[in-house]
Coordinates of all heavy atoms in Angstrom, one line a residue:
K15 N -3.1 28.2 -49.0 CA -1.8 27.7 -49.6 C -2.1 26.9 -50.8 O -2.8 25.9 -50.7 CB -1.0 26.9 -48.5 CG 0.4 26.5 -49.0 CD 1.2 25.6 -48.0 CE 1.8 26.4 -46.9 NZ 2.8 25.6 -46.2
E68 N 6.5 30.5 -50.7 CA 7.2 29.8 -49.6 C 8.3 29.0 -50.3 O 8.0 28.0 -51.0 CB 6.3 29.0 -48.8 CG 6.9 28.4 -47.5 CD 5.8 27.8 -46.6 OE1 5.2 26.8 -47.1 OE2 5.7 28.3 -45.5
Y121 N 9.7 27.0 -38.7 CA 8.8 25.9 -38.7 C 9.0 24.9 -37.6 O 10.1 24.6 -37.2 CB 9.0 25.1 -40.0 CG 8.0 25.3 -41.1 CD1 8.0 26.5 -41.8 CD2 7.1 24.3 -41.5 CE1 7.0 26.7 -42.8 CE2 6.2 24.5 -42.5 CZ 6.2 25.7 -43.2 OH 5.3 25.9 -44.2
Y162 N 5.7 28.8 -37.3 CA 4.7 28.1 -38.1 C 4.6 26.7 -37.5 O 5.5 25.9 -37.6 CB 5.1 28.0 -39.6 CG 4.1 27.5 -40.6 CD1 4.0 28.2 -41.8 CD2 3.3 26.4 -40.4 CE1 3.0 27.8 -42.7 CE2 2.4 26.0 -41.3 CZ 2.3 26.7 -42.5 OH 1.4 26.3 -43.5
E164 N 3.2 23.3 -38.0 CA 2.8 22.5 -39.3 C 2.3 21.1 -38.9 O 3.1 20.3 -38.5 CB 4.0 22.5 -40.2 CG 3.8 21.6 -41.5 CD 2.7 22.2 -42.4 OE1 1.5 22.2 -42.1 OE2 3.1 22.7 -43.5
Y165 N 1.0 20.9 -39.1 CA 0.4 19.6 -39.0 C -0.1 19.1 -40.3 O -1.0 18.2 -40.3 CB -0.8 19.7 -38.0 CG -0.4 19.7 -36.5 CD1 -0.3 20.9 -35.8 CD2 -0.3 18.5 -35.8 CE1 -0.1 20.9 -34.4 CE2 0.0 18.5 -34.5 CZ 0.1 19.7 -33.8 OH 0.4 19.7 -32.4
S166 N 0.4 19.6 -41.4 CA -0.1 19.3 -42.7 C -0.9 18.0 -42.9 O -0.4 17.0 -42.6 CB 1.1 19.3 -43.7 OG 0.6 19.1 -45.0
G167 N -2.2 18.1 -43.3 CA -3.0 16.9 -43.5 C -3.8 16.5 -42.3 O -4.8 15.7 -42.6
V168 N -3.5 16.9 -41.1 CA -4.3 16.5 -40.0 C -4.6 17.7 -39.1 O -3.7 18.6 -39.0 CB -3.7 15.3 -39.1 CG1 -3.5 14.1 -40.0 CG2 -2.4 15.8 -38.5
Y189 N -0.7 28.6 -38.1 CA -1.0 27.2 -37.8 C -1.6 26.6 -39.2 O -2.4 27.3 -39.8 CB -2.1 27.1 -36.8 CG -2.7 25.7 -36.8 CD1 -2.1 24.6 -36.1 CD2 -3.8 25.4 -37.6 CE1 -2.6 23.3 -36.2 CE2 -4.3 24.1 -37.8 CZ -3.7 23.1 -37.1 OH -4.2 21.8 -37.2
G190 N -1.1 25.5 -39.6 CA -1.6 24.8 -40.7 C -1.8 23.3 -40.5 O -0.9 22.7 -39.9
G191 N -2.9 22.8 -41.0 CA -3.1 21.3 -40.9 C -4.6 21.0 -40.6 O -5.1 21.3 -39.5
G192 N -5.2 20.3 -41.6 CA -6.5 19.7 -41.3 C -7.7 20.7 -41.2 O -8.7 20.3 -40.7
I193 N -7.5 21.9 -41.6 CA -8.7 22.8 -41.6 C -9.5 22.6 -42.8 O -9.0 22.8 -43.9 CB -8.2 24.3 -41.5 CG1 -7.4 24.5 -40.2 CG2 -9.4 25.3 -41.5 CD1 -6.7 25.9 -40.1
V210 N -3.7 28.6 -41.9 CA -3.3 28.3 -43.3 C -4.2 27.1 -43.8 O -4.2 26.1 -43.1 CB -1.8 27.9 -43.4 CG1 -1.4 27.7 -44.9 CG2 -1.0 29.1 -42.8
V211 N -4.8 27.3 -44.9 CA -5.7 26.2 -45.4 C -5.2 25.8 -46.8 O -5.0 26.6 -47.7 CB -7.2 26.7 -45.6 CG1 -8.1 25.6 -46.1 CG2 -7.7 27.3 -44.2
G212 N -4.9 24.5 -46.9 CA -4.3 24.0 -48.1 C -5.1 22.9 -48.7 O -5.9 23.1 -49.6
N213 N -4.9 21.6 -48.2 CA -5.5 20.5 -48.9 C -7.0 20.6 -49.2 O -7.5 20.1 -50.2 CB -5.3 19.2 -48.0 CG -4.0 18.6 -48.2 OD1 -3.6 18.2 -49.3 ND2 -3.1 18.5 -47.1
A214 N -7.7 21.2 -48.3 CA -9.2 21.3 -48.4 C -9.6 22.0 -49.7 O -10.7 21.7 -50.3 CB -9.8 22.1 -47.2
Ligands
1GP301 C1 0.3 22.8 -45.4 O1 0.0 24.0 -43.3 C2 -0.5 23.8 -44.6 O2 1.6 23.2 -45.5 C3 -2.0 23.5 -44.6 O3 -2.3 22.2 -44.2 O4 -3.0 21.1 -46.3 O5 -3.7 20.2 -44.0 O6 -4.6 22.4 -44.9 P1 -3.5 21.4 -44.9

Side-chain angles (χ1 to χ4, degrees):
K15 189 183 277 196
E68 188 169 64
Y121 256 70
Y162 191 136
E164 175 66 288
Y165 279 95
S166 181
V168 298
Y189 166 85
I193 298 171
V210 182
V211 180
N213 276 302

